[in-house]
Amino acid sequence: MKILEKSQLIKNQELSAKDNLESFCQIIKNVNPEINAFLEINKDQAMEKAQDIDSRIENGEKVGKLAGLVIGVKNNISVEDFLITAASRTLENYQGSYDATVVKRIKEEDGVIIGVTNLDEFAAGSSTETSYYGPTQNPAAPGLIPGGSSGGSAAAVAAGMCDLALGSDTGGSIRNPASHCGIMGFKPTYGAVSRQGLLDLAMSMDQIGPLASDVSGIALLLDVIGGLDPRECTTLDWQAPLYTPALQDPLDHLNGVRLGVLKESFDVTDGPIVKIIEDRLAELEGFGVELVELNFEYLDLCLPTCYLINYVEFFSATRKYDGRKYGHRIEEVCGEEVLRRIHMGSYISQKEYSGKYYKKALQARSLIKKEINRLLSGVDVLISPTVPKLPHKIGAELDTMEMYAYDTLTVVANLAGIPAASIPAGIVKGVPIGMQMQAKARDDLKILQLMSFIENNL
Amino acid sequence: MICGLEIHVQLDTNSKLFCDCPTNYQEAAINHNICYVCFNQPGAKPYPPNHEAIDGAIKIALMLGCKITPELTYFQRKHYDYPDLPSGYQRTSIPIGFEGDLNGVRIREVHLEEDPGQYKPDLGIVDFNRSGIPLIEIVTEPDMTSPEEARKFLKELIRVLEYSGSARGEGTMRADVNISLEGGKRAEIKNVNSIKGAYKALKFEMVRQKNLIKRGIEVKQETRAFLESQMITVPMRLKEEADDYRYIPDPDLPPMLAEEEHVEYVREHMPEPSHIKTERFVKEYSIPEDHARVLTSEIDLANAFEEVAREVDPKFAALWMRDEVKRVVYYNKLKFKESEITPAQLVELFNMLLNKKITTKAGQRIMEKLPKNSKMPSTIAEEMGLLGVVEVDEVKRAVKQVLKENPEAVNDYYKGQKKALNYLVGQVMKLTRGKADPSHTNQLIRDELEVKD
């Protein structure tokens, strides 16, 4: 059942919010100890909310767009009264004192927040193995990583522990685990969703977005969390379309739609994965799309550029964890990857090196942005694999560059601030494979329309 | 010696620079005026910068003769590790104004910053009420050549800030003072919190550096702290790496542009700065510079003077306002504005004096009654019986009576005691209720006593 249909059932009193919540709580109880997607749940508070929604529906009162839907929130997004640890020992005792804008909006639209989900420490990873609270299992491929850093949110949706989940994406952290877990993940245009309350990884690239098992869920959650936040300076002041109504009348063909295919993205991707994407593209051609092969010469530049900026901004963002307010000084208790980023950030932001590294990275970024926008000017959506390789076994030793390589195809969207999504495209060796779609800034709807078409027709 | 200054003063806004918290940090209970933004809790992002603060900074920069940058301005993060800094960095803008001038001292730049909290080691606490209050930093070129010049500059600067109506004045001032002598390197003195402190620190540092140079010891480039209690400076221990603030543009705050139209609007609505007003008064009203300086010490006094000068001879008005108005206001421990003395009251009083309807002495007594009094001087004069200048005959009669009634004082006068004369003048003034002219009375008494002789 689609999320939108379920939401109608709840509003029509065919399914109570309470029963919906109860069944998820049962699943969480059964599988979370194994999967470790949720770090903390608050059933009592969620139940109170669900019962309130049910009684309002019974009384014929108005309820919000998310009425009764059960939602998990990545644990780097502030939710009042939950421990907000970002899966780091640094914040093991920090209780959220306020709701992030996205959480406020979810609560206002009667979403039922059941709990907070696991992630790589401070979202600095692609496997969810670096969590202080242990790794998360991939429900779609047991024994393998779920991807990351929003691995908890992706696994929670994939294992049926909630209707929808929030993730954050700085270099692929929504799309990557969505791909590995066989669900959908959407990183909106930079500024389309408020970051107020999102714990920083790299502020100029971080973006909150939804994970769901179908497009209607993605659209519904985007409709709620998106839009100008007068209290977050980087949010866009624009007339964002409402996605749910926009998807009401599905397209029956794709005539005239131009899809760009990045040649270099296939060059760096494992053969079986390429094959699946090519198969999907061939099917789409049958529905009238025009495929345009494009060259993106700067693909090699993207990963180092993204990481240099990430290091410097993360270094800056973590200065508040000085041990005075939150108990631990971050450098003394954090994991290896977080420490590497802090040290690298501290090193390359030194006065004497900033011209050499940070300023260069910013220059490279504007070059990449310009080039990707040039490529996008001739097409509606760019298609590539989401992740160029299959996920590894939990606990396998990877060197840093092997780990970073998971992000090769996803970092571009963060550098350029453009919207990007991942949708299931097939299976290789029992592991789900995602297809990535990217569009021009503010063309989020074009991606959603294509996702919706694929969901209905492929 | 040459000296340059970096002066921080709080801007007078209702709310903080990046959140809605109030700015009355001294009145509020410790850690009361804080929110997740100014306390910088995990995930918090700054709200859009306070417009009042940005306009205040533009206004002050313009009043200091600065150009306003036509380029984008943005906030940078200045990283350092200190208990009073909740985020581990301070947000500080790139220059909003540059290349200004205040009485010959060049202003290098004016920019905006956020105030940190207050670390109180003696109490073992950090109070974040102050965290996020907007500060303006004014940086001069090293154009001052003596402690006196620096003091004069700071006094004038504080006046300009008071005139702007956008800043909080000397009470919130924090300055870094740079000083070097010929043959030595530059010392930077921190912890200077008043004009007097800046003057004393420079005096001390001048002597210290002179002595070193005299003895052939090298003056190192160093940062020193001013100890207000002892009026001395001491070396400050700084970590070596603390020097590198690792500035980056704040990714949470997009660049801003001061639109030319908006800058012009601020320029049109800003008050005339005190130092420029002083110059204009000298030229326009042909009054001495020291008169002009006193009259412009407060913007309300200066405005009142200009109103009065439209009706009354400006030189006469300037003299009276410099001496008598200031005296009475100062005696009552008021600012001119608080005294509620109106230009209309002054115009009437000065006209009474100029038309010889009252004596100078009577004028002074009426002036003393003016603070917080809505009555017009003519009414006050009438009530006190001060109206009219007494006829000479009446004074002469009074003189005769006083001399007759005070034989002892007369005797003292003959013995050469000058005080006796003052006493006798006083008695005549009393008898004529102050309407006699003191110096004329003095002459009359002496004439009378000489005749007897």
Side-chain angles (χ1 to χ4, degrees):
Chain A
M1 180 173 33
K2 296 273 170 64
I3 292 297
L4 194 59
E5 290 164 20
K6 186 192 256 189
S7 132
Q8 283 308 321
L9 291 186
I10 293 173
K11 283 178 186 163
N12 296 339
Q13 298 184 57
E14 290 168 59
L15 170 68
S16 72
K18 181 172 173 282
D19 288 348
N20 188 41
L21 177 64
E22 281 289 6
S23 67
F24 282 126
C25 287
Q26 196 54 49
I27 298 171
I28 291 171
K29 199 176 161 194
N30 293 341
V31 305
N32 196 56
E34 175 61 27
I35 291 178
N36 196 29
F38 278 101
L39 295 178
E40 185 187 354
I41 66 160
N42 188 335
K43 191 183 165 184
D44 292 345
Q45 208 177 47
M47 192 51 79
E48 211 175 290
K49 177 91 184 179
Q51 283 169 338
D52 172 58
I53 291 162
D54 284 335
S55 73
R56 276 189 287 146
I57 291 172
E58 275 166 38
N59 295 335
E61 289 171 43
K62 197 177 175 328
V63 288
K65 286 178 188 162
L66 296 173
L69 296 179
V70 173
I71 297 166
V73 179
K74 188 177 181 181
N75 200 214
N76 61 350
I77 298 170
S78 192
V79 191
E80 208 175 329
D81 295 338
F82 277 97
L83 286 175
I84 306 301
T85 65
S88 178
R89 205 186 143 198
T90 313
L91 291 174
E92 64 178 337
N93 298 312
Y94 171 67
Q95 192 162 26
S97 65
Y98 68 101
D99 282 336
T101 297
V102 290
V103 170
K104 224 179 270 171
R105 290 180 178 177
I106 286 172
K107 288 181 175 175
E108 278 162 14
E109 292 293 339
D110 292 323
V112 177
I113 291 175
I114 175 67
V116 291
T117 61
N118 203 7
L119 64 153
D120 278 296
E121 183 177 18
F122 284 107
S126 315
S127 72
T128 317
E129 291 169 301
T130 66
S131 166
Y132 177 59
Y133 302 99
T136 294
Q137 288 282 341
N138 186 337
L144 302 187
I145 58 160
S149 63
S150 313
S153 287
V157 171
M161 292 191 254
C162 56
D163 289 306
L164 302 164
L166 281 182
S168 70
D169 190 315
T170 308
S173 281
I174 288 174
R175 293 159 285 160
N176 170 296
S179 172
H180 288 329
C181 293
I183 60 161
M184 299 187 189
F186 197 100
K187 181 204 93 74
T189 298
Y190 185 78
V193 176
S194 170
R195 292 182 298 117
Q196 186 64 271
L198 170 66
L199 274 65
D200 301 318
L201 174 53
M203 294 69 77
S204 71
M205 297 187 283
D206 294 339
Q207 189 64 184
I208 294 174
L211 294 106
S213 49
D214 69 68
V215 184
S216 75
I218 297 280
L220 198 55
L221 195 46
L222 271 179
D223 282 340
V224 169
I225 63 175
L228 176 72
D229 179 356
R231 294 184 152 181
E232 203 269 84
C233 310
T234 62
T235 54
L236 294 170
D237 188 3
W238 65 314
Q239 279 299 323
L242 276 178
Y243 300 116
T244 304
L247 296 178
Q248 282 306 311
D249 303 311
L251 307 174
D252 52 13
H253 63 83
L254 292 173
N255 293 340
V257 173
R258 289 164 63 85
L259 298 184
V261 182
L262 295 177
K263 186 184 166 294
E264 286 76 6
S265 71
F266 286 173
D267 296 346
V268 299
T269 302
D270 291 350
I273 298 175
V274 171
K275 171 90 178 41
I276 282 180
I277 304 299
E278 281 176 344
D279 289 350
R280 296 292 85 75
L281 287 173
E283 285 176 75
L284 285 169
E285 256 186 317
F287 288 101
V289 304
E290 185 185 342
L291 296 183
V292 183
E293 192 178 290
L294 296 170
N295 290 304
F296 180 46
E297 289 167 25
Y298 299 131
L299 186 63
D300 291 349
L301 209 55
C302 292
L303 211 50
T305 302
C306 182
Y307 274 90
L308 286 178
I309 293 169
N310 193 308
Y311 292 156
V312 172
E313 293 187 5
F314 185 58
F315 166 77
S316 176
T318 52
R319 295 311 82 207
K320 66 171 67 115
Y321 308 123
D322 57 10
R324 296 185 180 100
K325 292 208 300 278
Y326 308 107
H328 300 296
R329 189 169 163 261
I330 187 167
E331 288 88 345
E332 285 163 10
V333 296
C334 70
E336 197 187 346
E337 178 59 24
V338 163
L339 192 62
R340 178 190 351 272
R341 295 190 189 197
I342 291 171
H343 284 164
M344 290 296 288
S346 168
Y347 181 78
I348 64 178
S349 62
Q350 288 175 92
K351 217 161 149 191
E352 51 181 317
Y353 296 129
S354 91
K356 198 167 158 190
Y357 298 109
Y358 186 56
K359 295 228 169 84
K360 281 259 163 67
L362 293 179
Q363 284 166 1
R365 180 179 191 172
S366 73
L367 193 71
I368 290 162
K369 196 170 174 176
K370 225 167 135 187
E371 179 62 10
I372 204 80
N373 281 328
R374 191 183 68 79
L375 295 178
L376 275 164
S377 67
V379 298
D380 295 297
V381 174
L382 284 177
I383 302 288
S384 72
T386 307
V387 188
K389 56 180 184 173
L390 294 176
H392 60 263
K393 280 204 182 94
I394 291 172
E397 298 263 332
L398 267 71
D399 71 31
T400 307
M401 289 322 291
E402 283 177 308
M403 194 61 104
Y404 287 0
Y406 281 115
D407 303 333
T408 306
L409 301 174
T410 43
V411 293
V412 189
N414 304 85
L415 287 167
I418 58 175
S422 181
I423 185 170
I427 287 174
V428 172
K429 294 186 199 161
V431 182
I433 298 300
M435 180 163 82
Q436 179 174 237
M437 304 165 190
Q438 305 178 82
K440 286 192 267 295
R442 306 186 188 209
D443 266 355
D444 306 48
L445 180 59
K446 279 194 179 172
I447 295 177
L448 280 163
Q449 281 171 330
L450 184 60
M451 287 170 83
S452 176
F453 185 89
I454 291 171
E455 183 181 50
N456 293 334
N457 297 288
L458 260 56
Chain B
M1 64 158 269
I2 58 169
C3 158
L5 300 166
E6 292 167 28
I7 305 109
H8 298 82
V9 177
Q10 283 178 356
L11 289 176
D12 193 5
T13 57
N14 290 320
S15 56
K16 292 184 179 182
L17 188 49
F18 297 115
C19 66
D20 294 340
C21 286
T23 54
N24 59 335
Y25 67 102
Q26 279 151 326
E27 296 153 28
I30 283 170
N31 286 321
H32 186 77
N33 288 355
I34 58 170
C35 69
Y36 65 93
V37 176
C38 60
F39 192 47
N40 212 297
Q41 290 199 264
K45 310 284 179 284
Y47 297 173
N50 184 339
H51 276 286
E52 219 186 327
I54 290 177
D55 283 355
I58 292 175
K59 191 205 286 181
I60 289 164
L62 287 171
M63 288 177 75
L64 293 171
C66 288
K67 299 171 186 164
I68 303 300
T69 177
E71 316 261 309
L72 290 171
T73 53
Y74 54 88
F75 283 91
Q76 301 199 92
R77 292 180 172 191
K78 176 183 179 178
H79 301 90
Y80 63 91
D81 181 19
Y82 202 66
D84 65 5
L85 206 54
S87 50
Y89 53 82
Q90 181 188 27
R91 293 194 187 89
T92 158
S93 81
I94 63 165
I96 289 175
F98 60 97
E99 289 178 12
D101 175 278
L102 179 57
N103 288 345
V105 174
R106 288 170 299 158
I107 308 294
R108 183 183 297 166
E109 62 165 89
V110 172
H111 67 253
L112 261 178
E113 289 186 356
E114 56 177 350
D115 215 348
Q118 289 171 294
Y119 178 38
K120 300 172 176 172
D122 45 335
L123 302 173
I125 55 160
V126 186
D127 180 1
F128 289 98
N129 282 346
R130 205 180 68 180
S131 173
I133 289 182
L135 285 181
I136 189 159
E137 179 170 351
I138 297 150
V139 184
T140 77
E141 298 289 349
D143 286 349
M144 286 150 281
T145 57
S146 67
E148 288 73 21
E149 269 184 45
R151 179 170 62 186
K152 197 172 152 208
F153 170 83
L154 283 171
K155 278 190 179 163
E156 190 67 56
L157 178 67
I158 293 297
R159 278 212 298 166
V160 172
L161 294 175
E162 277 171 3
Y163 263 55
S164 75
S166 297
R168 290 209 158 131
E170 197 189 341
T172 67
M173 183 182 103
R174 271 155 278 159
D176 297 341
V177 179
N178 294 305
I179 165 175
S180 64
L181 267 58
E182 201 167 316
K185 291 210 173 107
R186 181 172 60 103
E188 182 181 2
I189 310 162
K190 292 190 175 284
N191 292 351
V192 177
N193 296 323
S194 64
I195 297 176
K196 187 183 165 198
Y199 175 75
K200 293 284 183 187
L202 280 168
K203 275 273 189 199
F204 176 86
E205 198 54 24
M206 216 166 76
V207 172
R208 186 187 72 86
Q209 293 190 18
K210 247 186 209 161
N211 283 338
L212 289 176
I213 294 167
K214 217 188 278 171
R215 284 185 283 157
I217 301 168
E218 190 202 6
V219 180
K220 290 182 292 188
Q221 177 159 345
E222 64 175 341
T223 306
R224 300 177 67 84
F226 179 60
L227 304 182
E228 185 123 38
S229 53
Q230 303 170 54
M231 297 286 181
I232 61 166
T233 72
V234 294
M236 235 169 126
R237 267 186 214 133
L238 286 175
K239 278 189 216 155
E240 258 174 52
E241 57 177 341
D243 251 334
D244 191 349
Y245 295 120
R246 294 177 163 81
Y247 284 102
I248 60 163
D250 193 320
D252 291 333
L253 292 160
M256 312 168 286
L257 186 67
E259 305 273 357
E260 207 181 313
E261 251 172 59
H262 183 66
V263 172
E264 284 317 305
Y265 177 86
V266 175
R267 194 195 299 278
E268 276 163 30
H269 289 78
M270 77 187 191
E272 180 182 32
S274 52
H275 60 294
I276 292 176
K277 206 185 274 290
T278 309
E279 267 174 47
R280 179 169 65 78
F281 278 18
V282 171
K283 270 189 221 148
E284 196 172 323
Y285 301 110
S286 306
I287 57 174
E289 196 190 322
D290 62 323
H291 288 200
R293 201 180 286 280
V294 174
L295 292 174
T296 55
S297 61
E298 273 180 65
I299 193 165
D300 296 283
L301 181 62
N303 290 343
F305 168 72
E306 294 211 81
E307 263 188 68
V308 171
R310 263 189 291 232
E311 313 274 338
V312 181
D313 173 25
K315 285 185 204 170
F316 182 80
L319 192 64
W320 266 77
M321 289 180 76
R322 184 197 71 161
D323 293 341
E324 292 306 316
V325 173
K326 273 299 254 192
R327 176 179 67 87
V328 168
V329 168
Y330 184 76
Y331 177 81
N332 286 289
K333 296 196 172 74
L334 296 170
K335 294 214 162 210
F336 178 74
K337 187 179 183 179
E338 295 160 346
S339 78
E340 295 166 25
I341 298 175
T342 65
Q345 288 175 315
L346 294 176
V347 168
E348 192 184 85
L349 178 63
F350 296 163
N351 277 329
M352 286 163 74
L353 282 159
L354 286 166
N355 298 332
K356 304 266 182 217
K357 289 195 178 146
I358 51 169
T359 60
T360 304
K361 186 80 189 166
Q364 288 167 340
R365 290 186 59 191
I366 293 167
M367 187 71 84
E368 285 159 15
K369 297 285 177 198
L370 286 183
K372 309 245 181 204
N373 187 350
S374 58
K375 284 182 189 161
M376 288 303 282
S378 55
T379 313
I380 298 170
E382 211 165 312
E383 281 172 6
M384 296 176 73
L386 294 173
L387 216 48
V389 177
V390 283
E391 296 303 320
V392 178
D393 285 354
E394 201 183 321
V395 182
K396 279 186 178 162
R397 269 199 303 280
V399 167
K400 287 203 166 119
Q401 190 184 337
V402 165
L403 294 183
K404 209 165 122 191
E405 286 171 4
N406 295 282
E408 276 176 35
V410 172
N411 270 335
D412 287 347
Y413 174 80
Y414 287 134
K415 282 179 200 158
Q417 285 185 23
K418 289 230 172 95
K419 272 190 198 160
L421 181 61
N422 292 341
Y423 173 77
L424 292 167
V425 173
Q427 292 304 305
V428 175
M429 297 303 291
K430 201 172 166 187
L431 213 56
T432 58
R433 294 213 230 113
K435 284 183 279 186
D437 182 75
S439 65
H440 188 224
T441 306
N442 189 306
Q443 191 59 46
L444 282 176
I445 294 174
R446 270 194 291 175
D447 288 352
E448 195 70 16
L449 292 171
E450 304 300 308
V451 170
K452 269 195 174 171
D453 198 36

